[in-house]
Amino acid sequence: MEKRDNKDQKRATGKISRRTLLGGVIAAAVLPVQSLFADEIQPKTPVLPEITDDPTKIVGPGPSPLGKRSTFEQPVRKPSDISSRTPLQDMHSTITPADLHFERHHAGIPTIDPAKHELLIHGLVDNPMKFTLADIKRFPSVTRTCFIECAGNFRTGKAEMTPQDILGLTSQSEWTGVMLSTLFKEVGISDKAKWFLAEGSDAAVMTRTIPIAKAWDDAMIVYAQNGEAIRPEQGYPIRLLLPGFEGNMNIKWLRRIELSEEPYMTREETSKYTYPVKDKIRMFSFELDARSIITYPSYPQKVNKGWVEIRGIAWSGRGEGRKSRSKYRCRQNLATG
């Protein structure tokens, strides 16, 4: 009876609560849009936080040493035993935040002291040399936007799969480092050298043999990603970047490069990353194929009647010929549409 009396009193005096006032303001702000474009624009389901206090009346936290996402934004990778998949459906551009870049490694993430880490380049070279991280950073740097895709990226078979489930082993970053050709010029490469072996410092000692033409073309030794030092799961302190080549060849935690006349036929090139295609065995497959995926709308998102904006990403892989340098760069990058 007392509560009812209070409500009646408010009605009589014309007073309303702050929650009612804010709700009314939001409704008023949304109404013109609905009235003008209700038949043309796909409405989104509003997800508003519960308003518990007026933020204009509470002093927020001060500056912090490290930024963080809003508590209302919680994109996460989907981990398995051997990898973590990027939430493609949550991305707003083709650049993947460093902490959401997909992850794949063969024996865990090594802890490497950058002050002690060295890159050895030897084999068919004039002057075998070791480069510290500081040495590498003294060479002219290059920054490029490139994507990396795991060779085992594509999954299908269920209707209840998100873009993250299907193609989540794809990510794109802005990478900074030195061209591998710059270091090759420093050590002097023999004319006999046709291949180079790249070796990582992880417990798997991941190794792959790569045609030397790729080194002269666009291979990089990178130490920064999206403006910050590469994160440990992405190869800290340095990794190999081979635009357009399968992810497993972009050796992380890079410690050694050896030049040779023939491929080394390592474990990763015989028992791994070798697979049957019809009645033949495919080895040394380097370039990625073209792919695309719709990221909105996608499972489990729901749409309502009306116009729907369709978003997605695509990459051409080997689908475009190398007619010009600019086109070649384009085929290495993700595109939205």
Side-chain angles (χ1 to χ4, degrees), residues 22-303:
L22 291 173
V25 170
I26 292 173
V30 170
L31 183 59
V33 176
Q34 291 178 330
S35 60
L36 289 174
F37 305 108
D39 295 332
E40 300 180 8
I41 292 181
Q42 171 65 54
K44 294 184 177 179
T45 302
V47 182
L48 298 176
E50 182 181 357
I51 300 174
T52 56
D53 292 292
D54 183 351
T56 66
K57 305 301 182 185
I58 301 175
V59 177
S64 59
L66 194 64
K68 58 185 179 182
R69 292 186 178 87
S70 164
T71 55
F72 299 94
E73 301 291 335
Q74 298 179 337
V76 293
R77 293 186 300 199
K78 181 174 286 187
S80 67
D81 293 341
I82 59 173
S83 65
S84 284
R85 292 175 167 262
T86 295
L88 299 178
Q89 65 278 359
D90 297 327
M91 300 293 99
H92 296 285
S93 76
T94 58
I95 296 296
T96 308
D99 60 352
L100 295 176
H101 195 288
F102 85 87
E103 215 179 302
R104 174 74 170 97
H105 32 78
H106 297 70
I109 303 166
T111 300
I112 298 175
D113 182 348
K116 299 178 181 178
H117 189 71
E118 293 179 329
L119 171 62
L120 169 65
I121 301 181
H122 66 134
L124 294 178
V125 301
D126 298 332
N127 301 299
M129 298 178 69
K130 285 184 178 179
F131 299 90
T132 65
L133 180 61
D135 292 334
I136 292 173
K137 289 182 176 179
R138 292 179 64 185
F139 288 97
S141 65
V142 175
T143 298
R144 287 181 174 171
T145 300
C146 298
F147 77 92
I148 299 177
E149 180 184 10
C150 177
N153 191 18
F154 184 69
R155 286 182 178 177
T156 187
K158 297 180 181 178
E160 298 81 11
M161 295 180 74
T162 66
Q164 183 174 25
D165 296 322
I166 298 170
L167 286 175
L169 297 180
T170 306
S171 301
Q172 178 160 268
S173 293
E174 183 185 77
W175 304 95
T176 300
V178 60
M179 301 302 295
L180 181 55
S181 58
T182 300
L183 300 185
F184 275 12
K185 292 174 184 175
E186 192 73 10
V187 300
I189 303 298
S190 168
D191 292 337
K192 296 181 180 178
K194 304 301 179 187
W195 298 77
F196 71 91
L197 177 81
E199 180 181 272
S201 298
D202 56 331
V205 192
M206 182 73 178
T207 52
R208 289 303 309 265
T209 311
I210 300 145
I212 196 170
K214 187 65 174 174
W216 294 119
D217 189 1
D218 58 1
M220 295 176 65
I221 306 297
V222 295
Y223 46 77
Q225 176 186 12
N226 294 343
E228 64 176 0
I230 291 177
R231 300 197 175 201
E233 62 267 27
Q234 296 303 329
Y236 182 83
I238 56 173
R239 73 175 296 169
L240 182 63
L241 180 68
L242 304 173
F245 274 26
E246 292 180 359
N248 65 84
M249 310 191 77
N250 294 250
I251 300 296
K252 296 187 282 190
W253 314 290
L254 184 67
R255 70 172 183 177
R256 188 168 73 91
I257 290 177
E258 183 175 354
L259 284 296
S260 68
E261 294 185 71
E262 302 290 340
Y264 284 81
M265 308 301 287
T266 68
R267 174 194 60 196
E268 310 300 335
E269 293 155 356
T270 52
S271 65
K272 311 290 184 184
Y273 300 106
T274 293
Y275 45 89
V277 178
K278 296 183 178 179
D279 58 345
K280 297 182 179 179
I281 300 298
R282 175 179 289 181
M283 299 180 69
F284 293 105
S285 57
F286 304 120
E287 292 188 310
L288 298 162
D289 290 316
R291 292 190 192 281
S292 63
I293 187 169
I294 300 297
T295 56
Y296 181 86
S298 60
Y299 178 82
Q301 300 158 345
K302 296 182 179 179
V303 297

